[in-house]
């Protein structure tokens, strides 16, 4: 019988609510392991929905069964121009 870890990721909040181009945006997430074995360390990423552009990434530690960690991602607001670089 093969068992796999199960990661559930929830966005807990984001700041500021109204960002201007160049502002630092913060997203707080909770990663919970609801599976039967430990979840190995890894990476959580935030990407732009329109084209998959990588906005931020953060490493995550090993997460024990029935445990969770809070992970904070920070990145610069790109404004409304999808081709503007960070």
């Amino acid at each position: 019988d093969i068992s796999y870890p199960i990661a559930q990721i929830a966005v807990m909040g984001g700041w500021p609510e109204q960002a201007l181009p160049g502002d630092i945006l913060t997203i707080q997430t909770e990663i919970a392991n609801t599976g039967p074995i430990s979840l190995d360390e890894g990476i959580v990423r935030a990407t732009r929905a329109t084209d998959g552009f990588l906005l931020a990434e953060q490493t995550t530690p090993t997460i024990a069964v029935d445990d969770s960690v809070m992970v904070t991602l920070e990145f610069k607001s790109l404004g409304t121009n999808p081709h503007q670089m960070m």
Side-chain angles (χ1 to χ4, degrees), residues 1-2 13 18 20-21 25 27 32 39 53 58 66 73 75:
D1 192 28
I2 298 175
Q18 297 293 322
L20 299 173
L25 302 177
I27 298 173
L39 183 63
F53 181 79
Q58 180 67 38
D66 295 326
L73 297 167
F75 55 96

Side-chain angles (χ1 to χ4, degrees), residues 3-58:
S3 296
Y4 297 98
I6 300 171
Q8 293 187 337
I9 301 172
V11 175
M12 306 307 288
W15 303 271
E17 289 185 23
Q18 297 293 322
L20 299 173
D23 283 353
I24 299 295
L25 302 177
T26 302
I27 298 173
Q28 188 170 34
T29 63
E30 180 180 29
I31 303 173
N33 179 3
T34 59
I37 63 174
S38 291
L39 183 63
D40 290 338
E41 60 186 39
I43 298 173
V44 63
R45 294 183 173 110
T47 59
R48 189 167 46 202
T50 56
D51 61 4
F53 181 79
L54 178 64
L55 298 169
E57 67 180 16
Q58 180 67 38

Side-chain angles (χ1 to χ4, degrees), residues 31 38-43 58-64 68-71:
I31 303 173
S38 291
L39 183 63
D40 290 338
E41 60 186 39
I43 298 173
Q58 180 67 38
T59 58
T60 60
T62 298
I63 305 171
S68 65
V69 296
M70 299 297 279
V71 176

